Amino acid sequence: MIRQIITYPDKRLFMRSNEVEHFDQELHRLLDDMYETMRAKNGIGLAAIQVAVPLRALIINLPDEEGNQHKEDLLEIINPKIVQSKGSIVYTEGCLSVPEYYEDVERSEWVRVEYQDRYGNPKSLEAEGLLAVALQHEMDHLDGHLFIEKLPYLKRKKFEKEWKKKARVKVKR
Ligand code: Y12
Ligand code: CO
């Protein structure tokens, strides 16, 4: 089922999500719905809070070199922790909860993440480049942070001004 994505400035996006304790059917349905929702909206990553569920769960499905996404490459990441990070990378990020806005953000270039899969099994992965960026972007959602909070002061102000203007146009229409 495709769920509704909540968007900025919804206050739920700024709240810390809760640890997943039950690796049950309800969690599996949530993960399946998140995948369907992310694909329907042309996303490559989604955190549970973006579909209004405050749980520490996220999915990532990076495209291959031709730009195609394959379900076999889907990562389902529950209760993640970054245990090691290094380097720095600047990537132009976008977010389904901040539609039509893209901006450069600096993050670690390499991360090691410990997490659980949908059955509660402990896992770990090492990621670099785009996957490292996506993991950090989605993990920020779990702590109630959006990529726009990482913008320099003037860019953030410009974003807020443009956002308010866009919201006014929407109300008029
Ligand atoms: C690098 C940077 C950011 C991430 C986080 C995951 N971000 C997304 O999946 C963003 C998706 C996105 C898709 C859009 O397309 C549609 O909505 C059809 C989009 O365009 C509009 O809002 C119009 C914006 C963002 C991972 C890796
Ligand atoms: Co996002």
Side-chain angles (χ1 to χ4, degrees):
M1 188 183 79
I2 295 173
R3 303 199 190 190
Q4 200 190 333
I5 292 184
I6 61 173
T7 56
Y8 176 88
D10 192 310
K11 64 178 186 309
R12 288 170 290 184
L13 290 168
F14 297 97
M15 290 173 180
R16 188 183 151 85
S17 293
N18 303 309
E19 294 275 318
V20 172
E21 289 177 357
H22 306 290
F23 295 82
D24 55 8
Q25 273 250 276
E26 199 179 329
L27 174 70
H28 296 177
R29 196 166 307 124
L30 168 66
L31 291 166
D32 293 343
D33 288 355
M34 284 168 64
Y35 177 72
E36 222 184 300
T37 306
M38 179 186 72
R39 290 305 305 271
K41 307 285 179 193
N42 283 334
I44 57 172
L46 196 70
I49 191 58
Q50 294 180 271
V51 291
V53 178
L55 285 176
R56 301 183 79 78
L58 64 91
I59 59 168
I60 292 173
N61 194 204
L62 295 189
D64 63 18
E65 307 84 66
E66 277 103 48
N68 301 313
Q69 284 164 290
H70 305 279
K71 195 164 186 190
E72 312 87 80
D73 300 329
L74 176 67
L75 286 171
E76 295 179 335
I77 297 189
I78 318 293
N79 298 333
K81 282 187 177 62
I82 293 178
V83 293
Q84 226 181 322
S85 64
K86 59 187 176 199
S88 151
I89 184 172
V90 175
Y91 200 92
T92 308
E93 298 190 15
C95 179
L96 289 170
S97 293
V98 190
E100 292 171 57
Y101 187 76
Y102 309 88
E103 197 45 82
D104 286 356
V105 174
E106 185 181 354
R107 299 192 184 268
S108 299
E109 203 276 331
W110 179 94
V111 291
R112 185 195 300 277
V113 176
E114 290 181 354
Y115 65 100
Q116 286 166 287
D117 68 11
R118 63 160 59 201
Y119 305 104
N121 299 313
K123 300 268 177 187
S124 82
L125 67 79
E126 285 175 25
E128 61 181 358
L130 178 58
L131 180 55
V133 170
L135 281 162
Q136 292 167 84
H137 175 112
E138 300 308 335
M139 285 176 70
D140 270 358
H141 277 297
L142 310 186
D143 290 327
H145 295 301
L146 295 176
F147 75 105
I148 51 167
E149 293 171 58
K150 292 189 163 287
L151 301 180
Y153 180 80
L154 286 178
K155 272 193 180 162
R156 176 77 192 265
K157 288 286 149 212
K158 190 161 176 261
F159 162 79
E160 275 161 15
K161 206 172 148 192
E162 282 168 8
W163 199 269
K164 280 180 191 148
K165 195 171 153 193
K166 228 169 56 174
R168 276 201 302 274
V169 172
K170 267 193 196 145
V171 170
K172 268 192 185 166
R173 267 209 236 122

